[in-house]
Amino acid sequence: MNKNLVVAICGATGAVGQEMLQVLEQRNFPYSKVIPLASSRSVGKKVTCKGEELSVVELTENSFEGVDLALFSAGGETSKKYAPIAAKSGCVVVDNSAAWRMDDECPLVVPEVNPEDLDWHKGIIANPNCSTIQLMVALKPIHDEARIKRVVVSTYQAVSGSGQKAIEELENQVRRLLSGQPVVADVYPHQIAFNCLPHIDVFMDNGYTKEEMKMVHETVKIMGDPTIKVTATCVRVPVFYGHSEAVNIETEEKLSADDVRSLLAKSPGIIIEDYPEKNAYPMPVNAAGDDATYVGRIREDETIENGINMWVVSDNIRKGAALNTVQIAETLIERDLVRVP
Amino acid sequence: MNKNLVVAICGATGAVGQEMLQVLEQRNFPYSKVIPLASSRSVGKKVTCKGEELSVVELTENSFEGVDLALFSAGGETSKKYAPIAAKSGCVVVDNSAAWRMDDECPLVVPEVNPEDLDWHKGIIANPNCSTIQLMVALKPIHDEARIKRVVVSTYQAVSGSGQKAIEELENQVRRLLSGQPVVADVYPHQIAFNCLPHIDVFMDNGYTKEEMKMVHETVKIMGDPTIKVTATCVRVPVFYGHSEAVNIETEEKLSADDVRSLLAKSPGIIIEDYPEKNAYPMPVNAAGDDATYVGRIREDETIENGINMWVVSDNIRKGAALNTVQIAETLIERDLVRVP
């Protein structure tokens, strides 16, 4: 079954689309054909998967005929327009934009955390926001063991989360500053080189950014528990790849730092890197290009009865986007769900 | 009174020592003579203050005869050895190292917060750690108004906090990476360029770093209130100047975000920069070279009854070190305390 899947990649020329093709290849994803889709600007460009050179095809309303599975990473507007068209033509969509995440008809899935939510999909499945995914991987085992009441998280997010142009902007700004030239800021409202911007996505009326509120709302949906409270400060830092998070957790039951270490060490998708005596702790430059969510700096927070601090790092383009999307597709195959009900 | 003070700067050639000389000049500090002291390696080097070129003199046990006030920033070992010698010879010491901060005989002072602690000095006054100072400036008005119960803080600290060599290391690593060369890490245990290191100062047995525990213990001493609980994660980021802090506060009494904004706006040493609609919030590149502690991103934390999130940025070399030291000296003059009791 499912051995001859036809897979479309929407947004195949973007940072995440490119990474999706790599992940399909690296994991030997069982497809018979991959169709790279993009806007008319990119038509004719070449991409590669499993050693095969593929020509990018224009994304249109007819792109999904005969396609079993479409992985979208082409921005919210494209997803809003084309995901329902794809689903209507019988193609299961896994969407990496924010367009469908909070839609009650769409499961929001981290395969290590809530694979069972795929069972009720109606054709469109949403991939959570990058900063939420790695947090969920690290929090789920703790929530299952000791029930999480409250999380205070501060993020240190890489520029690759804003796409290829932001990667170039950081590099260009650094080059200009080191040669004494004024910087040009285009993707971000301010200089990002050698700076920190406490501003990711747009500001909401409550003073939080949309990125911060995504962590609040997506956590509840993915965990399936409206009682988990999250408050977040999301900050862009001059790092190319890899989001880091300082996470403070209050649980119902007491867990020691050792309890958390043992618990997470045996949990899926996590690598513990917590050897202060060897100066070993998670860092974005090490996590970049890797699949795991790295957890370290695990220590008890003595300011509350049941508190834990930890430091969580993962590649925002892989686990935070492309890898999680492909893992959702793999789980759909495993559970025989690559069909629109 | 005090118009003809002889002032010694110990560690006059370091990053903070240089900044102290600048701050003395910029604030027209009332000295009759400045003596730049340093180790024998730096003897004969020239420094400048108020347009006058000064030759660096070797720091010895006899350096403090006839000196009224000594500002130390030459590392903990030097302070441990020479501060008592200076105090014994009648010179009041303001020390920027960690050597005397938790000593019961030494006041630990942020002039905006606890100037009255200077009254009981016995010759040595300690300047708090950089990341603590800006936090204290921002928290004191809130504590006075609504009593702070608990603070969760995550820091984004600039490399200048590790001295001149760390500034050069970040620059060199960035240059090498952009020209495709492997990096050399010398000051830090890992690459700092385009990376985040959750590791500042040494690790303690409880899993926290010394930097994190400084924030816990110094806060209690400066606020003079053992009930304030602080938990911290301290992170080095690839920024040259300016520490940033994501601060989550739980208070006894309810304060709205507007209450906090009005309160801090009228408090000493603080500039509110909190206009999301104009993309205006504190950032290290803007705070660098400036005296104020900038506060923004003020918003209510709905996960607890009385919660506030905010973002605090200040120049770690100025308010975090040189400026605070000179402000202590100014306050000593104002309160007629430039004498060893």
Side-chain angles (χ1 to χ4, degrees), chain A residues 150 199 208 279 300-301, chain B residues 150 190 208 279 281 300-301:
Chain A
R150 179 177 181 238
H199 176 189
Y208 287 83
N279 294 330
E300 282 158 60
D301 167 9
Chain B
R150 179 178 180 237
H190 305 282
Y208 287 83
N279 294 330
Y281 29 73
E300 283 160 60
D301 168 9

Side-chain angles (χ1 to χ4, degrees), chain A residues 150-156 170-171 174-175 178-179 189-191 193-200 203 206-209 212 229-235 237-241 244 246-250 276-286 297-304 307 309-311, chain B residues 150-156 170-171 174-175 178-179 189-191 193-200 203 206-209 212 229-235 237-241 244 246-250 276-286 297-304 307 309-311:
Chain A
R150 179 177 181 238
V151 177
V152 181
V153 57
S154 305
T155 71
Y156 303 65
L170 172 56
E171 182 177 338
V174 166
R175 281 190 196 282
L178 292 189
S179 58
H190 306 283
Q191 172 185 329
F194 309 117
N195 200 14
C196 295
L197 303 184
H199 176 189
I200 300 184
F203 283 103
N206 65 358
Y208 287 83
T209 58
E212 289 160 354
K229 291 172 175 166
V230 177
T231 188
T233 300
C234 290
V235 181
V237 294
V239 165
F240 286 112
Y241 295 96
S244 307
V247 188
N248 180 273
I249 305 160
E250 183 176 4
E277 67 285 4
K278 295 177 185 166
N279 294 330
Y281 30 72
M283 295 185 294
V285 294
N286 283 356
R297 300 293 330 276
I298 299 167
R299 56 217 196 276
E300 282 158 60
D301 167 9
E302 309 276 0
T303 68
I304 47 175
N309 280 307
M310 59 192 203
W311 174 252
Chain B
R150 179 178 180 237
V151 177
V152 181
V153 57
S154 305
T155 71
Y156 303 65
L170 172 57
E171 183 178 337
V174 166
R175 281 191 196 282
L178 292 188
S179 58
H190 305 282
Q191 172 185 327
F194 309 118
N195 200 15
C196 294
L197 302 185
H199 176 188
I200 300 183
F203 284 102
N206 65 358
Y208 287 83
T209 58
E212 289 160 355
K229 291 173 174 165
V230 176
T231 188
T233 300
C234 290
V235 181
V237 293
V239 165
F240 286 111
Y241 295 96
S244 307
V247 188
N248 179 273
I249 305 160
E250 183 175 5
E277 68 285 4
K278 294 178 186 166
N279 294 330
Y281 29 73
M283 295 186 295
V285 294
N286 283 357
R297 300 294 329 276
I298 300 166
R299 56 219 195 274
E300 283 160 60
D301 168 9
E302 309 277 1
T303 68
I304 46 176
N309 280 307
M310 60 191 203
W311 175 251

